Amino acid sequence: MKFLGKPRSQTAVSLPICLLIWNILQPGHSHLYSNRYAGDKVIRVTPSTKEEVYVLKKISHQLKVDLWQPSSISYVSKGTVTDVHIPQNGSRALLDFLQEANIPYKILIEDLQKALEKGSSLQAQRNRRSLSEYNYEVYHSLEEIQNWMHNLNNTHSGLIHMFPIGKSYEGRSLFILKLGRRSRAYKRAVWMDCGIHAREWIGPAFCQWFVKEALLTYRSDPIMRKMMNHLYFYIMPVFNVDGYHFSWTSDRFWRKTRSRNSRFRCRGVDANRNWRVKWCAEGASMHPCDDTYCGPFPESEPEVKAVANFLRKHKKHIRAYLSFHAYAQMLLYPYSYKYATIPNFSCVESAAYKAVNALRSVYGVRYRYGPASSTLYVSSGSSMDWAYKNGIPYTFAFELRDTGHFGFLLPEALIKPTCTETMLAVKNITVHLLKKCP
């Protein structure tokens, strides 16, 4: 195999892009994101009483903090591990308030800007050392990912076909890779999407890793060969293309899409609350400024609409839906919007159990697994529930590493171990699917 990454015109296209990134990211050149996170902290609070929950919610609303985990202050209850990103101008007030109320907390990240700068300095050095080949152990911008997709489409046409399924709100193409050997007219398929939430960069990194591993090991690994011969994989490395681009250029911790609202200045919709399944019920917000805003109506976001249309069109042969998020180290399955047991519970539960055991066998990393509503929290309008309700029997959402030490700033040094262990889980689920479990 020749190559798994760079566009053919390396001198004309790749080198200027890499040098531009190097100039932007090198230490001392300028502060990332205009130094907007200087002095910001990330703390962990676990309220132990209803009174502490009330106090935490009240002060969080007043200071307009950014919840990292869970995704909304409405999810916080007694015993909920809560990771809070506090802006520099409110950190002292919140910490003093917590101390006065005798609510214990732990500082996870002392200075968010310094943590960002440290990670990006390392990334720049790695990019500079690797101008001639695509590096799967660093995070990549949207432009780099789409160039990578174009290149694979040109160089691996026997196993890969790239095509658009629509346009984003800001007019960017929504590209899919169809991966698999064209061996028969009808083949069952697996859908995989990454990056539905912009700041969860490890998701797109995994989607790229999966494609790379499939192409590299197709001839040597009998399990991968069986997967490629008997299934198609529809892979969307970046679902929320506008938000992901924005998280690289303007706000590293942006979550939503970038659509405009005619009545509010706040932009964007939570693309994982915008699906037509118990839309805007529990676990979703009707306020456009909230991170879990469900949108003005179901499928209001062109990105969600495009994927939903594609899945509707191909639902007869798509048998599994896998969505990759961060962070929490969990493998979730329906339902998200209610506490209830799915009809094919035993089959799905068995697949999840085997998948997390396979994942743990590599580095000993433990994932919790179970229905999303009881394992994580209740949320309505999710893609996973929608896929299941629309006839896709295997639907899972991965919450990748870690459990909060790094949060959304998972270091690039952890991309390889995270993706390596996740590959085993995905292969396990896929093999389970091939056994014709209902």
Side-chain angles (χ1 to χ4, degrees):
M1 176 177 299
K2 289 182 181 178
F3 174 69
L4 293 178
K6 284 284 182 188
R8 286 179 292 181
S9 179
Q10 291 182 3
T11 305
V13 179
S14 304
L15 189 57
I17 290 174
C18 288
L19 288 177
L20 175 62
I21 292 170
W22 167 244
N23 286 334
I24 292 171
L25 295 182
Q26 63 176 312
H29 180 269
S30 63
H31 286 295
L32 285 173
Y33 303 99
S34 303
N35 209 33
R36 66 182 293 170
Y37 305 109
D40 287 16
K41 299 184 188 308
V42 179
I43 68 166
R44 171 164 291 176
V45 185
T46 307
S48 57
T49 66
K50 289 182 179 180
E51 291 73 22
E52 290 183 0
V53 170
Y54 173 77
V55 167
L56 184 58
K57 287 185 175 183
K58 182 178 179 181
I59 192 68
S60 296
H61 279 303
Q62 289 175 353
L63 295 177
K64 294 182 171 56
V65 301
D66 173 24
L67 264 288
W68 280 23
Q69 196 69 260
S71 56
S72 169
I73 196 68
S74 63
Y75 291 130
V76 176
S77 59
K78 192 171 89 171
T80 302
V81 175
T82 308
D83 296 348
V84 188
H85 166 201
I86 323 165
Q88 190 272 336
N89 58 7
S91 61
R92 191 68 266 157
L94 178 56
L95 298 185
D96 288 346
F97 192 90
L98 293 174
Q99 287 172 355
E100 289 174 14
N102 289 317
I103 301 175
Y105 64 88
K106 175 184 178 182
I107 296 178
L108 298 178
I109 300 177
E110 183 70 45
D111 189 312
L112 205 48
Q113 186 68 32
K114 289 180 180 178
L116 269 170
E117 305 263 346
K118 180 181 178 182
S120 296
S121 171
L122 178 61
Q123 178 182 4
Q125 293 170 35
R126 288 182 176 177
N127 280 336
R128 184 172 66 163
R129 287 201 306 265
S130 186
L131 292 177
S132 61
E133 64 179 73
Y134 199 84
N135 189 345
Y136 291 88
E137 295 182 38
V138 301
Y139 296 115
H140 289 280
S141 68
L142 179 66
E143 292 77 9
E144 290 173 317
I145 293 172
Q146 292 189 340
N147 284 340
W148 167 82
M149 294 173 77
H150 279 291
N151 181 77
L152 292 186
N153 189 55
N154 293 336
T155 57
H156 295 82
S157 56
L159 283 174
I160 287 213
H161 172 56
M162 174 187 177
F163 59 95
I165 59 168
K167 296 274 190 180
S168 71
Y169 179 84
E170 294 181 339
R172 295 181 174 86
S173 293
L174 303 171
F175 286 119
I176 305 295
L177 291 178
K178 182 181 181 182
L179 175 65
R181 187 165 173 262
R182 298 169 199 174
S183 54
R184 63 181 79 173
Y186 173 83
K187 284 170 66 172
R188 286 172 294 171
V190 174
W191 170 274
M192 294 170 55
D193 64 56
C194 297
I196 199 168
H197 292 139
R199 60 192 179 184
E200 299 167 9
W201 288 8
I202 187 60
F206 174 73
C207 267
Q208 292 182 88
W209 190 277
F210 180 88
V211 174
K212 179 259 296 186
E213 284 295 299
L215 296 176
L216 282 176
T217 65
Y218 167 66
R219 298 189 185 282
S220 59
D221 179 1
I223 295 176
M224 185 62 76
R225 186 161 59 249
K226 186 176 182 181
M227 288 163 57
M228 294 297 103
N229 287 344
H230 291 276
L231 294 167
Y232 283 126
F233 288 82
Y234 294 110
I235 301 170
M236 192 175 196
V238 186
F239 185 116
N240 179 6
V241 290
D242 295 346
Y244 185 73
H245 176 74
F246 191 72
S247 75
W248 273 75
T249 58
S250 300
D251 183 350
R252 173 62 184 85
F253 305 107
W254 186 259
R255 171 183 167 94
K256 299 187 287 182
T257 63
R258 293 294 297 161
S259 56
R260 291 185 181 275
N261 187 292
S262 59
R263 294 176 52 229
F264 291 84
R265 293 181 63 185
C266 300
R267 294 184 65 164
V269 166
D270 186 339
N272 206 33
R273 301 292 187 279
N274 192 232
W275 299 73
R276 194 183 298 275
V277 53
K278 277 290 178 182
W279 175 78
C280 221
E282 185 177 353
S285 172
M286 298 184 70
H287 197 287
C289 294
D290 290 343
D291 266 350
T292 53
Y293 175 45
C294 59
F297 53 87
E299 297 179 22
S300 62
E301 304 311 281
E303 300 87 350
V304 173
K305 185 74 171 177
V307 173
N309 284 341
F310 181 85
L311 293 175
R312 277 190 283 260
K313 183 178 178 181
H314 296 88
K315 69 179 182 180
K316 286 186 178 180
H317 69 279
I318 293 178
R319 308 306 293 158
Y321 173 95
L322 307 178
S323 190
F324 295 86
H325 301 252
Y327 58 95
Q329 293 178 194
M330 294 178 179
L331 178 54
L332 309 170
Y333 50 82
Y335 297 105
S336 288
Y337 73 89
K338 64 178 178 179
Y339 299 106
T341 302
I342 54 177
N344 62 337
F345 169 79
S346 60
C347 196
V348 170
E349 169 85 357
S350 174
Y353 170 76
K354 291 177 180 177
V356 297
N357 280 344
L359 186 151
R360 190 174 65 199
S361 70
V362 192
Y363 301 104
V365 173
R366 294 181 178 273
Y367 271 50
R368 293 171 58 198
Y369 69 96
S373 56
S374 56
T375 310
L376 187 58
Y377 43 65
V378 174
S379 62
S380 57
S382 73
S383 64
M384 180 178 68
D385 279 352
W386 182 92
Y388 188 78
K389 283 283 191 177
N390 278 267
I392 301 177
Y394 277 88
T395 65
F396 293 96
F398 282 80
E399 292 282 349
L400 301 177
R401 292 200 198 184
D402 58 4
T403 55
H405 182 74
F406 296 109
F408 299 120
L409 292 181
L410 192 73
E412 290 177 331
L414 294 180
I415 292 176
K416 182 177 180 178
T418 301
C419 293
T420 300
E421 66 193 10
T422 308
M423 276 296 302
L424 279 189
V426 172
K427 288 169 75 174
N428 220 276
I429 289 172
T430 304
V431 168
H432 205 79
L433 166 66
L434 288 170
K435 291 179 180 176
K436 297 183 179 179
C437 196

